[in-house]
């Protein structure tokens, strides 16, 4: 069992333990108030796979609860789902003492935490993430949100969980593509902040690919620790959190240029990281050897990566749209060495174009 504290204003614990789902009840009991409703938010497929373990443990802990389902998938990360769930909570007569439990991937987690942040002006939420992305990224850090027709995560709040419970055994049923997409975000943490983590992934790539329990637990714990560190530092001082966007500037553009149908998020980020390395090399700010190591690990871990079907012009147009939405200046997070990145404004247009062209060619050759 590993415990990591997210040391924000109201500090909370991330507990990582194999088969933790079977003991979720005793943990949740600590956060449920006397007479308050415990509402488990999940989706049908997740409930079918994992709900039984959590519900059994809630019964064993004598904790009265209700399960409410939202529809599964990114398409339902909407204000409509929030309204439906809020109506259900009101129907259950849930009050300020209610505890929302988010059981699922990043979609359920973002929706349930958003709901918890606004229902009766805010109730507690505990996250039980069930995808690798949710375990190492979305469940930690307090960002909640839903999508609008105009774009992803355009409406949201900050609402930290009271606790995060991670059971690596829950990943056993996760489809391979989803799992590898999560590994892409894990590589990101290594490149931006921890050479050790990057080298751990390099060294244990085969074990990680076959989800070796011990290696996987170490990986999750390390990523959680790094995310917690960045979130805490950012809350206190700077815009450090920006470095979490490594690979995401072009990654987001790839996703939106292909209307979110072609890539999983982590796959788009994988190409975004490779392109960022190219940019850094063209700007003479990164050794070719290091770029090569990062590329090799990304290509091996996140394989098979869908090829990039669009041309640089369209992708760059989408980058600029993103830039507009984010106050005008285009920032790139570029690696300097393993474990250290820099925030670079004003990457020359020709370099951007060349790096993207190289990445597109690489994607079509592999
Ligand atoms: N709040 C944040 O800081 C933050 C950070 C990163 C990502 N996100 C958000 O997270 C979302 C992506 O999350 P995701 O990648 O977890 O996708 P997801 O929640 O859509 O889950 C992917 C699929 O896996 C299924 N699934 C979940 N757990 C499973 C399991 N254990 N076994 C089998 N199937 C399982 C789900 O039902 C779903 O169909 C995006 O909306 C993104 O914006 C938020
Ligand atoms: Zn991401």
């Amino acid at each position: 069992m590993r415990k990591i504290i997210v040391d924000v204003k109201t500090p909370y614990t991330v507990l990582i333990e194999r088969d933790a789902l079977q003991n979720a009840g005793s943990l949740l009991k600590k956060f449920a108030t006397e007479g308050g409703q415990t509402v488990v938010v999940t989706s049908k497929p997740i409930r079918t796979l994992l709900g039984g373990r959590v519900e059994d443990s809630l019964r064993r802990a004598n904790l009265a609860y209700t399960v409410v389902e939202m529809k599964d998938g990114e398409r339902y990360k909407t204000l409509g789902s929030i309204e439906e769930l809020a109506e259900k909570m009101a129907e259950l007569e849930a009050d300020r003492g209610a505890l929302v439990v988010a059981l699922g991937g990043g979609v359920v987690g973002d929706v349930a935490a958003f709901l918890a942040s606004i229902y009766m002006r805010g109730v507690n939420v505990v996250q039980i993430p069930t995808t690798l992305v949710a375990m190492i990224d979305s469940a930690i850090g307090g960002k909640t949100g839903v999508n609008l027709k105009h774009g992803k995560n355009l409406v949201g709040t900050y609402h930290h969980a009271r606790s995060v419970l991670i059971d690596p055994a829950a990943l056993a049923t996760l489809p391979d593509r989803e799992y590898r997409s999560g590994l892409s975000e894990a590589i990101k943490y290594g490149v931006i902040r921890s050479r050790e983590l990057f080298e751990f992934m390099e060294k244990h790539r085969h074990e990680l690919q076959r989800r070796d329990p011990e290696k996987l637990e170490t990986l999750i714990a390390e990523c959680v620790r790094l995310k917690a560190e960045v979130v805490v530092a950012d809350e206190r001082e700077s815009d450090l959190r920006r470095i979490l966007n490594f690979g995401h500037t072009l990654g987001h553009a790839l996703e939106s240029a292909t209307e979110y149908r072609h890539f999983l998020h982590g796959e788009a980020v994988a190409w975004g990281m490779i392109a960022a390395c190219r940019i850094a090399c063209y700007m003479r700010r990164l050794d070719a050897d290091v770029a090569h190591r990062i590329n090799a690990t990304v290509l091996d871990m996140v394989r098979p990566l869908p090829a990039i079907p669009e041309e640089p012009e369209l992708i760059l147009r989408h980058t600029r749209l993103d830039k507009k939405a984010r106050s005008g200046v285009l920032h790139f997070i570029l690696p300097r060495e393993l474990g250290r990145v820099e925030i670079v404004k004003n990457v020359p247009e020709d370099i951007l174009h060349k790096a993207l062209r190289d990445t597109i060619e690489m994607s079509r050759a592999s």
Side-chain angles (χ1 to χ4, degrees):
M1 195 231 290
R2 299 174 205 231
K3 267 188 191 176
I4 295 152
I5 312 278
V6 187
D7 199 10
V8 286
K9 211 159 128 210
T10 310
Y12 56 101
T13 305
V14 182
L15 201 74
I16 305 166
E17 188 177 22
R18 231 182 147 66
D19 298 323
L21 288 189
Q22 280 91 319
N23 300 315
S26 53
L27 176 97
L28 292 172
K29 210 162 180 178
K30 283 196 226 155
F31 296 102
T33 49
E34 192 95 21
Q37 294 268 1
T38 298
V39 181
V40 180
V41 177
T42 190
S43 70
K44 197 174 284 310
I46 297 165
R47 187 177 189 184
T48 307
L49 290 168
L50 303 165
R53 294 178 214 176
V54 175
E55 290 182 52
D56 283 348
S57 84
L58 287 165
R59 279 191 290 269
R60 266 186 280 115
N62 279 324
L63 190 61
Y65 68 92
T66 311
V67 179
V68 294
E69 290 175 7
M70 62 172 280
K71 293 208 177 76
D72 191 67
E74 187 72 39
R75 272 194 306 145
Y76 297 101
K77 208 176 103 165
T78 58
L79 285 169
S81 296
I82 299 285
E83 186 176 6
E84 261 178 48
L85 292 167
E87 291 287 4
K88 282 185 196 165
M89 287 192 57
E91 223 169 273
L92 293 166
E93 296 179 7
D95 61 14
R96 303 255 356 233
L99 173 67
V100 170
V101 179
L103 176 68
V107 166
V108 167
D110 279 7
V111 166
F114 188 17
L115 171 72
S117 74
I118 58 172
Y119 185 77
M120 299 230 165
R121 299 202 174 78
V123 299
N124 286 338
V125 60
V126 169
Q127 292 274 1
I128 308 185
T130 64
T131 64
L132 187 54
V133 167
M135 290 177 187
I136 66 175
D137 195 354
S138 56
I140 298 128
K143 273 195 190 176
T144 86
V146 296
N147 306 328
L148 296 180
K149 283 195 194 79
H150 276 86
K152 280 187 66 171
N153 299 324
L154 288 183
V155 181
T157 57
Y158 279 97
H159 191 61
H160 284 285
R162 293 305 310 278
S163 184
V164 181
L165 184 64
I166 297 180
D167 179 356
L171 296 177
T173 50
L174 192 66
D176 220 39
R177 202 175 160 201
E178 298 284 350
Y179 176 71
R180 284 171 187 261
S181 180
L183 289 177
S184 180
E185 300 278 359
I187 297 170
K188 176 190 83 177
Y189 288 118
V191 176
I192 63 173
R193 201 124 166 117
S194 166
R195 168 192 273 272
E196 294 74 28
L197 173 63
F198 183 85
E199 290 181 339
F200 173 84
M201 292 189 77
E202 251 182 346
K203 184 163 170 215
H204 299 293
R205 63 225 264 171
H206 297 302
E207 290 108 309
L208 288 169
Q209 278 163 352
R210 54 166 201 272
R211 312 185 197 192
D212 172 88
E214 190 207 322
K215 296 290 180 295
L216 189 49
E217 201 175 309
T218 305
L219 180 84
I220 293 169
E222 228 8 61
C223 292
V224 167
R225 197 182 62 71
L226 290 163
K227 170 115 194 214
E229 204 177 272
V230 171
V231 165
V232 168
D234 188 79
E235 191 171 64
R236 303 244 156 101
E237 29 184 281
S238 62
D239 55 2
L240 182 68
R241 201 163 176 157
R242 270 198 176 153
I243 68 171
L244 296 170
N245 274 333
F246 171 53
H248 283 61
T249 310
L250 289 172
H252 283 148
L254 284 172
E255 286 184 282
S256 78
T258 52
E259 291 168 351
Y260 298 94
R261 293 204 191 114
H262 189 69
F263 297 106
L264 290 184
H265 172 70
E267 294 170 342
V269 169
W271 287 128
M273 291 192 286
I274 288 173
C277 288
R278 284 307 284 184
I279 295 172
C281 285
Y282 277 130
M283 294 183 82
R284 301 186 187 284
R285 304 190 68 83
L286 178 69
D287 277 354
D289 299 357
V290 179
H292 181 76
R293 273 174 81 183
I294 297 173
N295 286 2
T297 302
V298 169
L299 290 173
D300 188 41
M301 289 292 217
V302 201
R303 145 177 72 105
L305 270 173
I308 301 170
E310 303 298 346
E311 299 309 314
E313 293 70 25
L314 180 75
I315 298 162
L316 289 175
R317 215 177 313 137
H318 280 266
T319 324
R320 280 183 219 107
L321 286 177
D322 197 44
K323 170 177 92 169
K324 247 192 178 155
R326 282 160 223 269
S327 78
V329 190
L330 191 55
H331 291 88
F332 277 91
I333 315 299
L334 301 180
R336 200 77 175 86
E337 58 188 326
L338 283 175
R340 190 158 72 85
V341 285
E342 56 186 357
I343 302 176
V344 179
K345 291 180 218 166
N346 306 324
V347 171
E349 200 72 11
D350 61 318
I351 288 188
L352 203 52
H353 208 276
K354 272 199 294 188
L356 207 46
R357 165 69 47 222
D358 293 350
T359 309
I360 292 170
E361 271 167 23
M362 190 194 286
S363 85
R364 293 178 186 172
S366 64

